[in-house]
Structures are given as structure tokens and as C-alpha cells.
Amino acid sequence: MKTLKQILVLFAVSVFFWACGSSPINKTPVQKEEPVVIANDSLEYEITIIDIGFNNFLNSIAKPEGFYSQQYLEARNRAWVVTWNQRARTPNQFNASIYENIIDYQPTVDYGYEVNYKLFNYFLFAQRKYKMNLGGGFRTNRIN
């Protein structure tokens, strides 16, 4: 009887290890997200955003280009850049891994629609992802 019990235990353990070893955890390859480049070649202005999820946000959640006027985007960006830069300059008060860099955005420069559109949407994305508020009365929904 003891031998039968040992065989059953050995069989159960073998089935357990076989089941654990044969079930794929994740066979789909992990795709690296491409950084989003915000650039205006004529002004030699460029921001590269490497924040996981922003590409998806820009392609599936953000309002389409043309939804907002350039003037609206510029106004939001000016306000949000001020707040962002204040936080980037005080890493002891704000998360330095979020506010890593100062954004050199001059209110008198015409960066064009595409730069303003992508920067605006990055600010929306960051507010949702990091559950922060850059101010200005613009409500954002959080990303789960």
C-alpha cells in the first residue's frame, strides 16, 4: 500500500510540474513602444517622449488633429509648461522621475500646429497617467 501511495504522490507531483512547465505564461513577443518625436525642423526644435502608453494615447484616445485650434493649444501649453517647469525645478517636492526635464517653450515662438498638438496631448496623457493636475481648469480622465 505504501508503494502505491508513493507512486500516486510521485505521479501527482510529476503532473503538477508538467502542467506548470507546459503552460505558456506569455508567448506573444513584447513590442517596444516607439518614442514620439515632437519637432519643428525649421526652428530646430525637438522633444522626444519615451513614456510607455503615450503612443497608444495619441493614436486612440486623443482628439484628432484639427479638433483644437492652434491658439487654444498654445494657450494650454504655455500654462502647463510653466507648471511643469516649476515642478521640474523643485525635485525635492515633486517626483523627479516624472518631471525629468525643463521644457524650453517660448510663448513668442510659432512652433506650428503639430508641435503644439503633440505637446498638449502629452500633458493630457501625463495628467491622466500620473494622476496629477497641471492646472488651468482642464479636466482629465484617469488612465486605469
Side-chain angles (χ1 to χ4, degrees), residues 67-88:
F67 184 84
Y68 302 105
S69 70
Q70 183 171 334
Q71 293 76 21
Y72 177 80
L73 297 174
E74 289 170 342
R76 296 293 352 119
N77 288 340
R78 280 193 298 271
W80 286 343
V81 162
V82 168
T83 303
W84 183 277
N85 288 344
Q86 287 171 340
R87 293 177 183 183

Side-chain angles (χ1 to χ4, degrees), residues 44 51 63 69 99 115:
E44 296 181 11
D51 198 337
K63 301 287 186 196
S69 70
Y99 305 99
V115 168

Side-chain angles (χ1 to χ4, degrees), residues 56-113:
N56 183 52
F57 177 87
L58 198 56
N59 293 320
S60 62
I61 298 172
K63 301 287 186 196
E65 286 189 41
F67 184 84
Y68 302 105
S69 70
Q70 183 171 334
Q71 293 76 21
Y72 177 80
L73 297 174
E74 289 170 342
R76 296 293 352 119
N77 288 340
R78 280 193 298 271
W80 286 343
V81 162
V82 168
T83 303
W84 183 277
N85 288 344
Q86 287 171 340
R87 293 177 183 183
R89 287 184 181 103
T90 54
N92 55 332
Q93 292 180 359
F94 296 95
N95 188 338
S97 66
I98 295 172
Y99 305 99
E100 291 181 28
N101 299 302
I102 302 291
I103 299 172
D104 183 18
Y105 184 90
Q106 302 298 319
T108 58
V109 175
D110 180 4
Y111 294 101
Y113 189 86

Side-chain angles (χ1 to χ4, degrees), residues 7-75:
I7 291 173
L8 286 176
V9 169
L10 182 61
F11 177 74
V13 170
S14 298
V15 168
F16 174 77
F17 282 116
W18 174 80
C20 290
S22 66
S23 63
I25 293 172
N26 186 0
K27 294 235 179 199
T28 55
V30 176
Q31 293 183 347
K32 250 184 136 179
E33 186 166 320
E34 293 295 318
V36 174
V37 177
I38 301 172
N40 183 321
D41 294 336
S42 65
L43 297 175
E44 296 181 11
Y45 182 86
E46 181 176 292
I47 298 174
T48 302
I49 298 175
I50 308 168
D51 198 337
I52 295 176
F54 180 55
N55 234 336
N56 183 52
F57 177 87
L58 198 56
N59 293 320
S60 62
I61 298 172
K63 301 287 186 196
E65 286 189 41
F67 184 84
Y68 302 105
S69 70
Q70 183 171 334
Q71 293 76 21
Y72 177 80
L73 297 174
E74 289 170 342

